[in-house]
């Protein structure tokens, strides 16, 4: 993936992302991928911002892929997105300064990398953190270990009818060790099947 985008400016890559995200549809539901975000997540983000919290996305996904559309979909601006990144190079093209993508990984924002990414981008330990896989375990541990009141929550994907059911044996998004940690440390565990009245936003 990195090799195919080598030499592009960040603006060129952003345009490709926007063109794709505004048209690409899920093969099973036929809905745009941006219409398959989680409604409870959207509602929680809005509630937190209404009550004075600053919200961030901390993902193992590519930061340059997420930033062009997270504000429109989640209400989270580009500077509040923390993700994995490739290396960039500054150069002049046609007399104008640009940032160019290189075929090399700069940082993987997953597992042990998430607390490091948070510290590097935000500079503060979160008050609350929400995750759904073993890739979030260290972020949740780091958040919960902070002083004063902290909150850690794990979402369990267990609704095969309305979404997908996967956890300990999944090849993608495995929830195993983080689930055990949540139970052991009394973090909140939310069941999509039992606790969420709605999964995705209503169709427009």
């Amino acid at each position: 993936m990195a090799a195919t985008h080598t030499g592009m400016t960040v603006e060129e890559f952003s345009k490709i992302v926007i063109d794709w995200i505004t048209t690409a549809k899920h093969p099973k539901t036929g809905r745009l991928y941006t219409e398959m975000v989680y409604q409870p997540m959207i509602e929680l983000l809005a509630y937190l911002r209404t009550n004075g919290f600053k919200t961030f996305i901390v993902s193992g996904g590519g930061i340059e892929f997420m930033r062009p559309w997270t504000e429109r979909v989640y209400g989270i601006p580009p500077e509040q997105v923390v993700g994995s990144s490739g290396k960039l190079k500054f150069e002049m093209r046609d007399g104008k300064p640009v940032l160019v993508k290189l075929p090399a990984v700069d940082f993987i924002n997953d597992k042990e990398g998430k607390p490091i990414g948070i510290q590097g981008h935000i500079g503060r330990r979160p008050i609350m953190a929400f995750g759904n896989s073993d890739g979030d375990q260290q972020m949740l541990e780091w958040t919960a270990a902070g002083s004063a009141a902290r909150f850690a929550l794990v979402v369990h994907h267990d609704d095969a009818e309305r979404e997908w059911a996967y956890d300990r044996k999944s090849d993608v998004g495995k929830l195993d060790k983080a689930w055990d940690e949540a139970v052991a440390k009394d973090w909140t565990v939310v069941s999509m099947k039992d606790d969420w009245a709605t999964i995705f936003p209503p169709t427009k």
Side-chain angles (χ1 to χ4, degrees):
M1 183 67 75
T4 62
H5 300 135
T6 299
M8 288 185 183
T9 66
V10 292
E11 289 82 10
E12 290 168 343
F13 182 72
S14 178
K15 183 180 184 305
I16 289 173
V17 170
I18 293 170
D19 289 345
W20 183 84
I21 204 71
T22 54
T23 58
K25 296 183 178 181
H26 190 277
K28 183 178 178 180
T29 66
R31 298 184 67 176
L32 293 170
Y33 284 106
T34 52
E35 296 175 345
M36 295 187 67
V37 295
Y38 301 126
Q39 181 65 22
M41 180 179 176
I42 299 296
E43 293 173 6
L44 175 61
L45 288 168
Y47 176 82
L48 290 172
R49 288 192 289 264
T50 297
N51 286 275
F53 288 90
K54 192 172 185 179
T55 56
F56 295 80
I57 288 177
V58 179
S59 172
I63 195 168
E64 298 294 345
F65 174 78
M66 294 183 289
R67 281 176 167 170
W69 54 271
T70 56
E71 189 163 21
R72 176 173 63 86
V73 176
Y74 293 111
I76 295 179
E79 65 272 18
Q80 289 166 222
V81 176
V82 182
S84 299
S85 58
K87 291 188 176 181
L88 301 173
K89 179 178 69 171
F90 175 90
E91 64 179 51
M92 300 296 292
R93 289 189 178 178
D94 299 323
K96 296 181 180 179
V98 294
L99 294 177
V100 178
K101 294 177 70 65
L102 298 176
V105 173
D106 185 42
F107 182 73
I108 300 295
N109 192 66
D110 196 31
K111 298 181 179 179
E112 295 88 348
K114 284 194 174 180
I116 296 170
I118 291 170
Q119 182 63 26
H121 283 263
I122 303 171
R124 290 185 177 182
R125 191 188 303 252
I127 296 172
M128 306 179 194
F130 307 82
N132 64 354
S133 75
D134 284 357
D136 298 310
Q137 181 177 341
Q138 290 81 4
M139 174 183 69
L140 293 164
E141 289 173 335
W142 193 60
T143 298
S147 60
R150 304 283 163 164
F151 182 76
L153 181 147
V154 172
V155 175
H156 183 198
H157 292 259
D158 59 352
D159 195 326
E161 183 177 342
R162 295 185 298 168
E163 200 228 14
W164 296 273
Y166 58 90
D167 43 54
R168 296 191 189 277
K169 298 186 182 300
S170 176
D171 293 328
V172 179
K174 178 183 287 188
L175 177 61
D176 184 17
K177 294 180 180 179
W179 192 359
D180 291 339
E181 188 84 351
V183 173
K185 294 190 174 179
D186 200 28
W187 299 343
T188 299
V189 178
V190 169
S191 162
M192 279 190 168
K193 182 178 180 180
D194 298 331
D195 298 323
W196 284 9
T198 301
I199 302 286
F200 303 116
T203 55
K204 297 178 181 179

